[in-house]
Amino acid sequence: RTEFTLKEIMSSGGAEDDIPQAERKTVTDFCYLLDKSKQLFNGLRDLPQYGQKQWQSYFGRTFDVYTKLWKFQQQHRQVLDNRYGLKRWQIGEIASKIGQLYYHYYLRTSETSYLNEAFSFYSAIRQRSYYSQVNKEDRPELVVKKLRYYARFIVVCLLLNKMDVVKDLVKELSDEIEDYTHRFNTEDQVEWNLVLQEVAAFIEADPVMVLNDDNTIVITSNRLSETGAPLLEQGMIVGQLALADALIIGNCNNQVKFSELTIDMFRMLQALEREPMNLASQMNKPGMQESTEKPARRENPHKYLLYKPTFSQLYTFLAASFKELEANSVLLIYLSATGVFPSGRSDSEGPYDFGGVLTNSNRDIINGDAIHKRNQSYKEMHCLHPGDLYPFTRKPLFIIVDSSNSVAYKNFTNLFGQPLVCLLSPTAYPKALQDQSQRGSLFTLFLNNPLMAFLFVSGLSSMRRGLWEKCQDYLRKINRDIAQLLTHSRSIDQSFLQFFGDEFLRLLLTRFIFCSATMRMHKIFRETRNYPESYPQLPRDETVENPHLQKHILELASILDVRNVFLENTLDDY
């Protein structure tokens, strides 16, 4: 039992009457704050997950109470030790809850700086060994609190790319799990071992290692930095739209995941975030109004991360995002999901006749990459069809589909004349390319870390830091040139240019073209289904098969000494 009545607490410290009034009040106030904080924290679960405004005041109140509680236990530690019997693991629990609050605030706002705050609270727990005494108590539920703290800390470190810390935490967690299962004969041993396996696979998902001179691994970040997106030229005519909201959906069978993030979701969410800033210099406490001085740059787009959603969940979040989308704002939908193919022959070619991507159902049995249904004349129910997205094309919509049936979304119709672009992955990769699908899709890797993807298709698995940085510089030059190709094109669909004013979308579009051009020049990517496609189609000769761009790709291959992997005379082959 962790809770005691005030009377029990007081009497355990000696005769009740002996306790000074001030100390009695200290314990009373602490118990009140502790109780209030738990009530508010538990209430967070009842807040709607979608909609951006309803939760803010509640979060603010919760932060306030936890801030008071944290300061209170610091100021009155000795009295609480003597009269309340405050244990170090209880302080650890408060710090852990504050870390969780910051992490959930990050999930709600997409402001990466809150991850740093979560990290500092989780780090303090470890540095001050708040949970160290837990193992001496004969209470398995306390040890589980400690294990959960480790799992949460690992998620935050992964999102901050602190891989060296992750490796230390995994080792510590492994020892803790071994000790836990040895001491208490519990049923959740398999689950905790699965957590270890998942995080180990997650850490090793990158196909290429960048090495320092002493052979330590360089941690590369793929968030948007100041020099990340190619700058617009003076006088370049592009739209003023801004990416405001994104749905990142992961529903691939057998893909590496940790917590409720697949590796594809993890990569895409970082492609839609800026590098974290130091929160103290940037803004006030969460839930409070920000200072009158405006931040020097635009915020990150807001994101919903949906792991294996059902159709109704997906549609609910989509409708909420659509409803809150302001004028001149863009909604991005990223789908990384198993393909669902039409099972019957259809005479028509409508938006529900090509299948789509899988939505989750606990009742369906999935066979490989396709779902077999009872009646051939009906459409697939647990599937997001292109037609399902039609109502949302009333506002600017940017869609990325990474799936074995991505081409279903090529058959889009722009009904409302709003800016609309779909970037579609290859539906198959060459057999000669070692199968990486479990460790994440190659297409998404190109959108997140194009140089790493380029090295992988070139057969390289490691590289020295100096060469990596030289290639990154060259890739920035290629991106600038791709931006010029797009904006100077005479036949390109205007939708591409309307999205081009936004830094995140500009970077995604230039990386998409780099990906497509690379695959078209590669010797083993020879089938049409090996290439990305788009709706509307890009003018090939001005973009993905432009000789100027092809020359750049061969130059990059020469720097890496892998020119033999690419076709020299690509234009002659068409």
Side-chain angles (χ1 to χ4, degrees), residues 410-421:
K410 203 169 66 168
N411 304 289
F412 238 95
T413 310
N414 190 340
L415 298 174
F416 302 105
Q418 289 293 312
L420 172 66
V421 160

Side-chain angles (χ1 to χ4, degrees), residues 8-273:
E8 284 175 310
I9 293 161
M10 292 302 202
S11 56
S12 67
E16 206 175 329
D17 298 339
D18 297 346
I19 297 168
Q21 189 64 36
E23 292 188 8
R24 185 186 304 246
K25 184 175 182 334
T26 297
V27 175
T28 313
D29 290 352
F30 179 74
C31 287
Y32 169 77
L33 283 171
L34 189 62
D35 201 41
K36 185 76 179 158
S37 69
K38 284 178 179 171
Q39 277 177 14
L40 285 167
F41 193 88
N42 292 336
L44 292 171
R45 295 189 193 112
D46 302 327
L47 292 176
Q49 290 175 287
Y50 47 84
Q52 289 181 48
K53 299 292 174 272
Q54 306 94 312
W55 54 271
Q56 272 179 323
S57 61
Y58 190 95
F59 253 89
R61 279 186 3 245
T62 312
F63 264 109
D64 276 347
V65 171
Y66 270 98
T67 305
K68 283 179 191 162
L69 180 64
W70 185 251
K71 286 180 179 165
F72 194 90
Q73 63 81 24
Q74 284 177 321
Q75 287 161 357
H76 304 284
R77 180 76 55 84
Q78 197 163 2
V79 175
L80 293 170
D81 279 351
N82 295 338
R83 301 296 184 193
Y84 178 83
L86 186 66
K87 293 187 164 63
R88 287 187 70 71
W89 67 260
Q90 289 172 303
I91 302 168
E93 271 297 277
I94 298 168
S96 179
K97 289 279 200 298
I98 296 171
Q100 287 176 62
L101 277 174
Y102 275 117
Y103 173 65
H104 283 287
Y105 210 79
Y106 156 72
L107 289 180
R108 295 264 184 179
T109 61
S110 300
E111 175 48 68
T112 30
S113 306
Y114 293 121
L115 284 172
N116 284 333
E117 299 299 305
F119 177 81
S120 63
F121 271 89
Y122 284 148
S123 288
I125 293 170
R126 184 164 165 248
Q127 283 158 4
R128 297 172 193 174
S129 307
Y130 281 138
Y131 281 124
S132 63
Q133 300 301 308
V134 161
N135 295 18
K136 292 181 181 171
E137 304 205 23
D138 195 27
R139 292 169 59 189
E141 74 278 9
L142 284 187
V143 183
V144 168
K145 282 180 189 286
K146 184 178 186 176
L147 300 182
R148 285 183 176 153
Y149 149 72
Y150 268 106
R152 291 183 181 116
F153 194 6
I154 287 168
V155 171
V156 167
C157 291
L158 285 171
L159 287 164
L160 286 170
N161 292 310
K162 294 183 185 289
M163 292 305 175
D164 45 348
V165 185
V166 171
K167 284 170 185 168
D168 291 344
L169 291 174
V170 169
K171 189 176 182 318
E172 288 170 31
L173 177 59
S174 177
D175 293 343
E176 293 288 347
I177 291 169
E178 199 172 319
D179 180 65
Y180 167 64
T181 52
H182 183 67
R183 285 173 58 218
F184 308 102
N185 192 12
T186 60
E187 293 175 2
D188 55 357
Q189 178 179 356
V190 175
E191 288 165 41
W192 281 110
N193 284 329
L194 185 62
V195 168
L196 282 177
Q197 287 165 21
E198 283 185 350
V199 72
F202 210 91
I203 296 168
E204 290 164 11
D206 281 355
V208 179
M209 284 188 298
V210 185
L211 301 171
N212 284 311
D213 291 339
D214 61 357
N215 281 349
T216 52
I217 295 174
V218 178
I219 307 304
T220 57
S221 173
N222 301 303
R223 287 189 170 92
L224 183 64
S225 61
E226 299 299 328
T227 56
L231 294 171
L232 294 169
E233 294 174 279
Q234 282 295 108
M236 203 181 260
I237 309 295
V238 293
Q240 300 303 306
L241 297 173
L243 177 60
D245 224 333
L247 265 75
I248 295 180
I249 295 146
N251 197 4
C252 281
N253 298 331
N254 308 325
Q255 194 176 89
V256 166
K257 67 170 264 293
F258 185 60
S259 187
E260 292 213 319
L261 276 180
T262 65
I263 193 74
D264 277 357
M265 292 170 74
F266 176 73
R267 285 173 177 156
M268 185 47 62
L269 78 85
Q270 297 203 36
L272 300 179
E273 290 180 350

Side-chain angles (χ1 to χ4, degrees), residues 245-430:
D245 224 333
L247 265 75
I248 295 180
I249 295 146
N251 197 4
C252 281
N253 298 331
N254 308 325
Q255 194 176 89
V256 166
K257 67 170 264 293
F258 185 60
S259 187
E260 292 213 319
L261 276 180
T262 65
I263 193 74
D264 277 357
M265 292 170 74
F266 176 73
R267 285 173 177 156
M268 185 47 62
L269 78 85
Q270 297 203 36
L272 300 179
E273 290 180 350
R274 299 171 195 280
E275 281 297 342
M277 286 179 77
N278 183 355
L279 194 59
S281 64
Q282 172 77 355
M283 56 185 59
N284 299 335
K285 196 167 76 244
M288 303 295 108
Q289 281 300 305
E290 288 175 19
S291 62
T292 47
E293 287 181 41
K294 287 196 172 172
R297 55 187 191 168
R298 245 186 58 221
E299 298 170 354
N300 289 330
H302 171 263
K303 298 184 295 297
Y304 290 119
L305 306 174
L306 301 180
Y307 174 66
K308 298 206 165 176
T310 61
F311 177 80
S312 53
Q313 284 170 329
L314 200 160
Y315 230 55
T316 305
F317 280 87
L318 200 46
S321 286
F322 180 81
K323 176 174 174 277
E324 294 193 342
L325 206 64
E326 295 177 356
N328 295 321
S329 295
V330 180
L331 172 59
L332 181 146
I333 302 170
Y334 168 78
L335 296 162
S336 157
T338 301
V340 178
F341 298 91
S343 41
R345 283 262 166 130
S346 174
D347 297 334
S348 60
E349 290 200 346
Y352 287 89
D353 294 318
F354 297 95
V357 301
L358 183 67
T359 54
N360 202 19
S361 155
N362 302 328
R363 293 174 300 282
D364 270 7
I365 293 166
I366 297 155
N367 299 326
D369 219 20
I371 291 180
H372 301 281
K373 48 182 209 325
R374 290 181 301 267
N375 189 322
Q376 300 286 302
S377 62
Y378 294 131
K379 303 302 176 200
E380 298 68 19
M381 196 189 300
H382 300 292
C383 167
L384 188 75
H385 297 265
D388 293 326
L389 297 178
Y390 277 22
F392 304 103
T393 59
R394 287 174 168 83
K395 292 182 181 179
L397 195 60
F398 194 98
I399 302 166
I400 301 171
V401 186
D402 195 338
S403 173
S404 53
N405 192 24
S406 58
V407 289
Y409 294 80
K410 203 169 66 168
N411 304 289
F412 238 95
T413 310
N414 190 340
L415 298 174
F416 302 105
Q418 289 293 312
L420 172 66
V421 160
C422 303
L423 305 183
L424 311 171
S425 71
T427 54
Y429 293 100

